Amino acid sequence: QGPQKRPNSTPETPRPKRPLPSQSPSTLFSPSSFSPSTPTPHKYPARGGRGQVVASFGSQEGILWGPGGEGRGPTPKVFGVPEEQLTKPYKFMFQQLLGIRQVLSWKIEELGAALKSHNNLEDFTSLTLPAQEPVTVLGQIGCDSNGKLNAHSVLLEGDREHSAGAQIPLDLTALTDYSLFPGQVVALEGTNSTGRRLLVSRIFEV
């Protein structure tokens, strides 16, 4: 056999290229064309194996599910002071406003005593009295609006003993870091030069 000639591949007669496979499907895209075919699921009422035990752990032989014997059962006992036990029906969340206020005041007084003992604080001062020197006040954190609590909406509701429940806005710009939430009982140290805004310099926590 004679020598085989290579086909000419000059630009005038370019070599035919192999057509590349199409990267996109020729049919219209739809989820069913790309999803694997699955058998039609059975309907819920036609399911099988109802009530069948699939797996069990431990031995259940000889176990009696009930009281220790015939006629015997648990006997509940009431602990604590009898005068403080709830022995009669009452309407839940139907408390009087005065009772709710007394509970909140008691919470501030109890936590205030713990703050005072833990941080070795002196007696607390009223929120409404102007003072040029730093004072220590007691109260719970509140919000002056219906939105979220932020540095511009936080206020302090004082206790009844020292502040008669008065509220005052707080200026927290002098603090490097703090973490507050509505209803939190805290003792604050700051300057209340006008009696209308407390510049907080320190927060005491338990």
Side-chain angles (χ1 to χ4, degrees), residues 9 30 56 107 149 206:
S9 60
S30 65
S56 60
K107 179 190 72 170
L149 184 67
V206 178

Side-chain angles (χ1 to χ4, degrees), residues 76-182:
K77 295 182 180 180
V78 180
F79 291 91
V81 183
E83 290 77 8
E84 298 180 356
Q85 302 299 329
L86 184 63
T87 57
K88 59 181 180 179
Y90 74 102
K91 294 183 178 181
F92 179 65
M93 296 184 66
F94 275 80
Q95 292 85 356
Q96 299 294 329
L97 295 179
L98 181 59
I100 297 175
R101 179 60 184 174
Q102 290 177 352
V103 172
L104 295 177
S105 300
W106 174 82
K107 179 190 72 170
I108 297 177
E109 292 175 1
E110 292 293 322
L111 294 178
L115 287 169
K116 187 176 181 180
S117 175
H118 181 74
N119 299 280
N120 297 324
L121 302 176
E122 298 181 356
D123 198 10
F124 298 110
T125 309
S126 175
L127 291 175
T128 58
L129 295 179
Q132 302 298 330
E133 299 294 332
V135 294
T136 305
V137 296
L138 174 67
Q140 66 176 357
I141 300 298
C143 184
D144 64 352
S145 62
N146 296 327
K148 295 182 179 181
L149 184 67
N150 53 52
H152 303 285
S153 64
V154 62
L155 53 83
L156 184 70
E157 181 181 353
D159 59 338
R160 296 182 61 183
E161 180 181 357
H162 303 91
S163 304
Q167 297 180 353
I168 187 173
L170 300 180
D171 188 353
L172 305 175
T173 55
L175 299 177
T176 56
D177 57 343
Y178 55 88
S179 178
L180 302 174
F181 59 89

Side-chain angles (χ1 to χ4, degrees), residues 20-69:
L20 296 177
S22 177
Q23 300 295 334
S24 58
S26 57
T27 59
L28 184 63
F29 173 78
S30 65
S32 61
S33 62
F34 287 91
S35 301
S37 60
T38 57
T40 304
H42 298 287
K43 294 184 178 181
Y44 183 78
R47 71 192 188 281
R50 289 179 292 182
Q52 180 183 359
V53 178
V54 179
S56 60
F57 300 93
S59 177
Q60 300 180 1
E61 298 180 0
I63 299 179
L64 298 177
W65 299 98

